[in-house]
C-alpha cells in the first residue's frame, strides 16, 4: 500500500505497466474476488498508452471494477484512501 504522509513530498503517480515511467493518468480499480472482499479495491495507475492493455489484462480475469481519471495533482488525490496502489 502507498504510505503517503501529508508532511512528506510525494512524487507524481507513475504508470503501473512494467518499465513505463510515464505519468499515471487513469486509475484502474480492481479486486480479485477469491482473495478480496467485494468492497475492497486495489488500484493500478495507467498512462494513456497502457490504459487499454492493463485494463484488458484485468478484465480478462474478471478483476476490473472501474476505470477513472486521476485528478491532476502531485499526490494521489485521485485514488480513494481505501485503495491500495500497486504496480
Amino acid at each position: 500500500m502507498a504510505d503517503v504522509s501529508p508532511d512528506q513530498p510525494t512524487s507524481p503517480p507513475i504508470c503501473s505497466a512494467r518499465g513505463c515511467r510515464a505519468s499515471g493518468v487513469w486509475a484502474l480499480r480492481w479486486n480479485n474476488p477469491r482473495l478480496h472482499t467485494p468492497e475492497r479495491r486495489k488500484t493500478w495507475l495507467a498512462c494513456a498508452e497502457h490504459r487499454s492493455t492493463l485494463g484488458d489484462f484485468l478484465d480478462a480475469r474478471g478483476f476490473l471494477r472501474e476505470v477513472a481519471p486521476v485528478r491532476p495533482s502531485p499526490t494521489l488525490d485521485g485514488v480513494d484512501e481505501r485503495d491500495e496502489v500497486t504496480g
Side-chain angles (χ1 to χ4, degrees):
M1 182 152 97
D3 185 21
V4 178
S5 167
D7 299 330
Q8 294 176 327
T10 59
S11 59
I14 301 296
C15 179
S16 297
R18 181 175 294 189
C20 185
R21 302 307 300 159
S23 295
V25 295
W26 294 99
L28 286 75
R29 296 189 176 108
W30 63 277
N31 79 354
N32 180 339
R34 288 190 278 168
L35 302 176
H36 306 124
T37 59
E39 63 278 351
R40 178 156 179 212
R41 295 291 180 267
K42 296 185 78 158
T43 300
W44 282 357
L45 301 175
C47 65
E49 181 181 349
H50 292 113
R51 177 186 175 193
S52 63
T53 54
L54 290 173
D56 290 348
F57 178 88
L58 292 168
D59 197 38
R61 288 152 181 80
F63 295 173
L64 187 62
R65 301 296 174 244
E66 74 175 300
V67 177
V70 173
R71 287 182 247 149
S73 172
T75 65
L76 296 177
D77 288 338
V79 178
D80 190 293
E81 66 274 0
R82 295 168 299 168
D83 294 343
E84 181 176 337
V85 177
T86 60

